[in-house]
């Protein structure tokens, strides 16, 4: 693997690094958002049904 | 439509999203590993590594816009809440992919064309317009307090941007451009041509050694988009449900 060496490493390395950052951010944001709304909806549903959300 | 029912969509996406996620990780892992082990190109040298990232994120950015625009159309015409959720869910993912397409294109353009950016290039400009449509859609959603009105206005904006997809794709054929022709279409056409025993295609596409990492990273990123999109739609469904339950709870109090 020739990731960060060579004449053009200055163009290749940052491109893949930026892609890794964007994909990681999208994945983390997506998963946290989904978990947060699911918990909120479940807590409100439990409250409506008269159950303890815990 | 099978998935138009929210309950069916939730039970389908519950297992489909992780499958797409696993496929994405597997294909991207193998595709990028192969991409960094193939020999350098005789013309482009080591920058050929960007061939396994830039065309793929660009194509997926267009797929994301198509997903957003078509969902927006169904949201406007049929007033379908799941379609609204699908359009809303595609926007941030599409913006991320389009940003990467512009950035990696710039990193590829500097060593190959001698410039980071070219304002007169139709492919770069139409991709920038695509990015602005994504940003405009999200800005419109957050700018209007009434969610129904905001969604409708943003959906109309998304539909207005749909013809730009044709401009992005065909810009390299319609006008003079620094940019090369469509790598993905040419590669797939050449591949089908060889499979059908048609001998050498008019446009030969990629060198055979680059095809596997190219195709794997493309399908890997497409699966990543699918996984993220499904989870974000699920998130939207829960958000709406939480909103509705909160209103009911406030009404009782």
């Amino acid at each position: 693997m020739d990731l960060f060496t060579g004449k053009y490493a200055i163009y290749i390395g940052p491109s893949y690094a930026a892609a890794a950052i964007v994909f990681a951010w999208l994945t983390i944001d997506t998963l946290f958002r989904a978990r947060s709304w699911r918990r909120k909806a479940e807590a409100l549903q439990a409250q409506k049904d008269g159950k303890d959300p815990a | 439509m099978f998935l138009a029912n929210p309950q069916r969509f939730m039970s389908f996406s519950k297992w489909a999203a992780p499958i797409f996620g696993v496929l994405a990780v597997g294909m991207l892992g193998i595709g990028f590993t192969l991409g960094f082990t193939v020999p350098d190109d005789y013309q482009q040298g080591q920058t050929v590594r960007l061939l396994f990232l830039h065309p793929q994120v660009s194509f997926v950015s267009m797929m994301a816009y198509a997903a957003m625009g078509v969902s927006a159309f169904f949201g406007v015409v049929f007033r379908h809440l799941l379609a609204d959720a699908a359009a809303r869910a595609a926007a941030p993912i599409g913006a991320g992919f389009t940003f990467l397409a512009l950035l990696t294109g710039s990193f590829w353009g500097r060593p190959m064309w001698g410039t980071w950016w070219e304002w007169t290039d139709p492919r770069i400009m139409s991709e920038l317009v695509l990015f602005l449509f994504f940003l405009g859609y999200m800005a419109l959603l957050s700018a209007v307090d009434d969610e129904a009105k905001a969604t409708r206005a943003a959906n109309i904006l998304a539909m207005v941007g749909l013809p730009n997809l044709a401009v992005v794709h065909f810009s390299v054929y319609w006008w003079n451009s620094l940019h090369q022709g469509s790598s993905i279409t040419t590669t797939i056409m050449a591949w089908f041509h060889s499979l059908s025993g048609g001998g050498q295609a008019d446009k030969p596409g990629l060198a055979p050694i680059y095809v596997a990492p190219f195709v794997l990273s493309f399908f890997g990123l497409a699966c990543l988009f699918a996984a993220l999109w499904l989870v974000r739609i699920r998130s939207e469904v829960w958000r709406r449900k939480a909103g509705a339950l909160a209103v009911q709870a406030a009404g009782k109090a």
Side-chain angles (χ1 to χ4, degrees):
Chain A
M1 294 261 277
D2 200 10
L3 271 173
F4 299 110
T5 58
K7 187 178 162 188
Y8 296 120
I10 191 173
Y11 306 108
I12 300 164
S15 296
Y16 277 89
I21 291 167
V22 170
F23 296 148
W25 177 79
L26 280 174
T27 306
I28 291 166
D29 179 65
T30 300
L31 293 177
F32 271 89
R33 190 178 292 256
R35 193 174 68 167
S36 160
W37 283 118
R38 180 172 57 85
R39 284 185 174 174
K40 207 168 277 184
E42 284 172 355
L44 284 164
Q45 184 66 53
Q47 197 180 339
K48 186 187 170 194
D49 298 342
K51 294 176 199 162
D52 182 1
Chain B
M1 293 252 296
F2 175 75
L3 292 177
N5 178 309
Q7 278 183 334
R8 275 202 295 259
F9 170 81
M10 291 303 268
S11 39
F12 161 78
S13 59
K14 192 175 184 178
W15 58 263
I19 288 177
F20 279 124
V22 169
L23 283 173
V25 170
M27 285 196 274
L28 287 177
I30 298 170
F32 286 155
T33 305
L34 285 175
F36 276 96
T37 50
V38 292
D40 292 351
D41 182 64
Y42 78 107
Q43 276 184 321
Q44 301 201 21
Q46 210 184 18
T47 58
V48 76
R49 314 284 167 223
L50 293 172
L51 181 68
F52 313 119
L53 179 65
H54 172 71
Q56 289 79 356
V57 289
S58 308
F59 200 86
V60 175
S61 73
M62 292 167 66
M63 276 174 51
Y65 198 90
M68 186 175 89
V70 171
S71 302
F73 171 79
F74 281 108
V76 169
V77 174
F78 300 108
R79 299 193 176 243
H80 199 286
L81 290 179
L82 202 57
D84 289 341
R88 190 185 274 253
I93 314 170
F97 273 88
T98 314
F99 168 75
L100 279 178
L102 292 166
L103 188 77
T104 56
S106 187
F107 274 115
W108 206 358
R110 182 69 186 95
M112 290 299 107
W113 302 338
T115 181
W116 293 101
W117 188 263
E118 179 52 57
W119 287 105
T120 57
D121 186 84
R123 174 58 73 83
I124 298 174
M125 284 303 106
S126 51
E127 188 74 15
L128 178 64
V129 169
L130 194 73
F131 184 55
L132 294 177
F133 267 109
F134 278 122
L135 295 187
Y137 177 89
M138 290 189 289
L140 206 47
L141 275 182
S142 53
V144 182
D145 286 336
D146 184 331
E147 189 175 328
K149 281 183 185 168
T151 304
R152 191 165 176 78
N155 280 349
I156 290 169
L157 178 71
M159 286 161 59
V160 169
L162 274 174
N164 184 51
L165 287 179
V167 179
V168 175
H169 184 72
F170 293 108
S171 56
V172 288
Y173 304 112
W174 289 343
W175 298 291
N176 286 325
S177 172
L178 284 171
H179 204 281
Q180 67 179 67
S182 174
S183 311
I184 288 177
T185 314
T186 310
T187 301
I188 290 171
M189 291 309 289
W191 186 56
F192 275 118
H193 200 75
S194 65
L195 280 183
S196 62
Q200 186 142 11
D202 296 338
K203 291 179 182 175
L206 292 178
I209 199 163
Y210 297 143
V211 171
F214 186 91
V215 170
L216 279 170
S217 49
F218 168 66
F219 283 111
L221 287 175
C223 284
L224 177 65
F225 167 73
L228 293 174
W229 191 34
L230 289 178
V231 176
R232 277 192 175 260
I233 299 172
R234 290 173 64 80
S235 177
E236 275 297 309
V237 172
W238 282 316
R239 187 183 68 81
R240 282 170 191 270
K241 187 179 175 185
L245 288 168
V247 169
Q248 284 177 18
K252 280 182 186 172

